[in-house]
Amino acid sequence: MGDEAKAKVLVFSFPIQGHLNPLLQFSKRLISKTVTVTFLTTSSTHNNIIRRAISGGATALPLSFVPLDDGFEEGHPSTDSSPEYFAKFQENVSRSLSQLISSMEPKPNAVVYDSCTPWVLNVCREHPGVAAASFFTQCSIVNAIYVHSLRGAFKEFQDDVVLPEMPPLKGNDLPVFLYDNNLCRPLFELLCSQFENVDHIDFFLVNSFDELEVEVLEWMKKQWPVKNIGPMIPSMYLDKRLAGDKDYGLSLFSAQNECLDWLDSKPHGSVIYVSFGSIAVLKDAQMIEVAAGLKQTGHNFLWVVRETETKKLPSNYIEELGEKGLIVKWSPQLQVLAHKSIGCFMTHCGWNSTLEALSLGVALIGMPAYSDQPTNAKFIEDVWKVGVRVKADKDGFVTKEEIVRCVGEVMEEMSEKGKEIRKNALRLMEYAKEALSEGGNSDKNIDEFVAKIAK
Ligand code: UDX
């Protein structure tokens, strides 16, 4: 078939950074396999951010962007967590997507959609011949835990949850929403809804790679045609020959690239990189404690404190840091993680950050906050053994002494645990690279997906 397009695909992401990134990357992978991709964003995200980013030349993505009417005006936040938001979002996007498909000739072969919008399946079914591919931005381990929970395997907070093909889990290893009823109910319902129609979807794609979760994956595959297609991170971090593909292509935040110059001035392996992703919010007292803990480690550190969080920093903190520490509002995270000066990554364990670190062989300090993050942290420490997890008190508070202890374990040259962690991190990095190199598990799964939809 040569370079002629094999298939035409629409890709729709929930408009938050942690979902846009892997779906943008998957789109690029599909394009590299001669699939034509149209990336669908909500009209409010398109108007607020993407239009400006594209016209500013911020992206060199070989994609076209089409906004879907989500019923919200320019200036409305990309998402909010109210039931009203979700209802209006679903109603408007379903209608707008269906109209788009009707207007296309030939019809797209498939819609790849964020698993948090399971109702896209109904839109696909209105258009015979358009396959429905649900894309899960969390790993199969987390998916399996949700499935067990929905089947009633455990009802409420309990210590020692025993599930097939997993190590015993404590209550605080489970995705947060499964045991904390005080958390946002609509978000919990949104996450559970990912599984409501999985018996009917055509493709069950997961942003992970097989070596991370072999046993659980086998268990999931007995029920659904689950396929790992990850790690969905820009290709140059997996294959140096693809130097052009160094970021996801679009960011809802402006990165302060000058932090790379600061990193250039630091010795090899000497910097702690700290970031809690695009959503996590630390309580005021916790922020102050993290600030004190990082300073007390005596190591260099680069800390991403989002604009909305900066007011929680202790007064004069930035001035007092001098050359030891740098605080930025957003970083070019992949370039930072790939920088030789980075010694470890203190993270909230969002799945993208976790995969990025695993793919780049960076040791982790997990300080999970929300959603799937505690489960990721559990596996980072106890199963993959590529990092340590901070111990929090019963209210979830982490002391500065604990931060210093964890940094010591991972950063100390001579610590046995640190050595083992670094060795494991490098081993998993090789597996991550293999998965997406030609003929690797994930690469084969993507080829199979393309072949099936192109039929
Ligand atoms: C969310 C959830 O929290 C996460 O657990 C889920 O699995 C996916 O969606 P988020 O909290 O933002 O995402 O964390 P994460 O998954 O790590 O995604 C953040 C993304 O932003 C990463 O790709 C990271 O590289 C990028 N980032 C973060 C930057 O580019 N610069 C920064 O300064 C911080």
Side-chain angles (χ1 to χ4, degrees):
M1 199 177 261
D3 276 350
E4 204 180 304
K6 282 186 190 149
K8 192 151 95 175
V9 169
L10 301 178
V11 175
F12 177 59
S13 166
F14 206 68
I16 55 176
Q17 194 70 59
H19 291 218
L20 287 166
N21 283 356
L23 277 150
L24 280 166
Q25 197 58 32
F26 187 57
S27 302
K28 287 192 258 170
R29 277 273 159 183
L30 290 178
I31 290 166
S32 75
K33 296 191 183 282
T34 70
V35 173
T36 306
V37 177
T38 305
F39 199 87
L40 307 176
T41 49
T42 55
S43 48
S44 52
T45 307
H46 189 87
N47 292 337
N48 287 347
I49 303 145
I50 293 180
R51 191 189 48 198
R52 269 201 304 280
I54 296 170
S55 64
T59 172
L61 286 170
L63 296 174
S64 47
F65 287 87
V66 171
L68 293 180
D69 177 23
D70 57 355
F72 297 97
E73 301 296 328
E74 186 156 352
H76 187 278
S78 310
T79 59
D80 68 42
S81 311
S82 64
E84 294 74 31
Y85 172 85
F86 290 133
K88 192 168 171 185
F89 175 83
Q90 172 172 345
E91 188 192 323
N92 286 295
V93 171
S94 292
R95 195 195 52 247
S96 181
L97 175 60
S98 189
Q99 282 168 356
L100 174 70
I101 298 174
S102 297
S103 72
M104 291 172 75
E105 206 46 64
K107 296 269 170 285
N109 302 68
V111 180
V112 175
Y113 59 93
D114 195 311
S115 59
C116 289
T117 60
W119 35 266
V120 172
L121 172 67
N122 305 334
V123 179
C124 293
R125 293 299 178 252
E126 289 167 20
H127 301 275
V130 178
S134 189
F135 184 106
F136 288 74
T137 57
Q138 72 250 337
C139 58
S140 287
I141 294 160
V142 170
N143 289 336
I145 295 175
Y146 274 109
V147 170
H148 288 301
S149 162
L150 290 165
R151 289 178 182 170
F154 52 94
K155 286 259 179 290
E156 52 200 25
F157 186 91
Q158 64 188 71
D159 256 350
D160 295 321
V161 174
V162 179
L163 300 173
E165 316 303 345
M166 290 195 209
L169 302 173
K170 302 243 175 264
N172 65 2
D173 297 330
L174 298 172
V176 173
F177 294 105
L178 293 183
Y179 65 84
D180 191 339
N181 293 329
N182 297 322
L183 288 172
C184 181
R185 193 80 204 161
L187 266 187
F188 171 62
E189 283 164 8
L190 178 82
L191 290 167
C192 291
S193 76
Q194 298 175 94
F195 305 93
E196 69 191 19
N197 57 19
V198 279
D199 289 343
H200 306 290
I201 58 182
D202 301 308
F203 298 94
F204 191 130
L205 308 174
V206 183
N207 184 20
S208 185
F209 56 99
D210 291 2
E211 283 74 12
L212 288 181
E213 45 183 12
V214 181
E215 294 85 2
V216 173
L217 185 63
E218 286 311 313
W219 185 86
M220 289 293 279
K221 278 184 181 168
K222 284 185 195 140
Q223 315 172 62
W224 300 290
V226 177
K227 290 210 181 304
N228 275 334
I229 47 75
M232 272 305 125
I233 73 157
S235 313
M236 84 163 248
Y237 302 99
L238 303 165
D239 182 345
K240 293 227 159 20
R241 289 168 301 176
L242 301 167
D245 190 24
K246 72 173 192 311
D247 57 32
Y248 292 100
L250 254 187
S251 179
L252 305 183
F253 303 82
S254 303
Q256 288 175 254
N257 291 328
E258 60 275 17
C259 66
L260 297 171
D261 298 331
W262 185 84
L263 290 177
D264 284 344
S265 72
K266 302 296 173 209
H268 190 276
S270 71
V271 179
I272 312 165
Y273 172 56
V274 187
S275 163
F276 302 116
S278 66
I279 304 170
V281 171
L282 266 57
K283 291 192 175 132
D284 292 14
Q286 185 64 81
M287 192 80 169
I288 290 171
E289 199 75 1
V290 171
L294 288 172
K295 213 166 151 188
Q296 211 166 302
T297 64
H299 288 285
N300 298 316
F301 64 89
L302 168 63
W303 184 7
V304 178
V305 179
R306 295 192 316 275
E307 179 90 57
T308 45
E309 294 281 279
T310 44
K311 58 184 178 300
K312 299 178 189 170
L313 285 169
S315 49
N316 294 328
Y317 184 71
I318 296 177
E319 294 73 20
E320 285 166 14
L321 287 177
E323 265 306 295
K324 270 281 174 203
L326 182 68
I327 294 188
V328 292
K329 297 193 172 81
W330 193 253
S331 82
Q333 179 158 304
L334 281 151
Q335 291 178 71
V336 168
L337 288 174
H339 198 281
K340 60 180 178 12
S341 67
I342 296 298
C344 71
F345 178 16
M346 182 166 165
T347 168
H348 69 313
C349 304
W351 186 237
N352 297 291
S353 293
T354 303
L355 271 183
E356 289 160 9
L358 291 176
S359 306
L360 285 156
V362 179
L364 293 160
I365 297 171
M367 184 164 156
Y370 207 41
S371 196
D372 55 343
Q373 297 149 19
T375 314
N376 301 337
K378 161 76 183 170
F379 278 73
I380 285 170
E381 181 171 63
D382 290 341
V383 180
W384 306 321
K385 298 188 179 2
V386 291
V388 296
R389 174 183 182 176
V390 295
K391 290 188 182 32
D393 70 12
K394 63 175 182 8
D395 300 318
F397 188 76
V398 180
T399 62
K400 53 182 180 298
E401 291 78 15
E402 174 62 3
I403 291 169
V404 173
R405 181 189 72 80
C406 289
V407 168
E409 289 219 319
V410 176
M411 292 284 275
E412 286 315 321
E413 281 283 311
M414 301 317 289
S415 120
E416 282 308 314
K417 190 157 183 181
K419 280 189 209 157
E420 197 205 338
I421 285 173
R422 285 189 289 275
K423 195 172 94 200
N424 291 334
L426 293 177
R427 188 175 50 82
L428 277 185
M429 176 178 84
E430 291 310 319
Y431 279 128
K433 288 184 175 167
E434 244 171 71
L436 275 170
S437 56
E438 209 178 329
N441 287 334
S442 294
D443 185 61
K444 271 202 280 204
N445 288 338
I446 300 172
D447 282 340
E448 245 174 73
F449 169 70
V450 173
K452 279 193 179 151
I453 60 167
K455 262 191 196 151

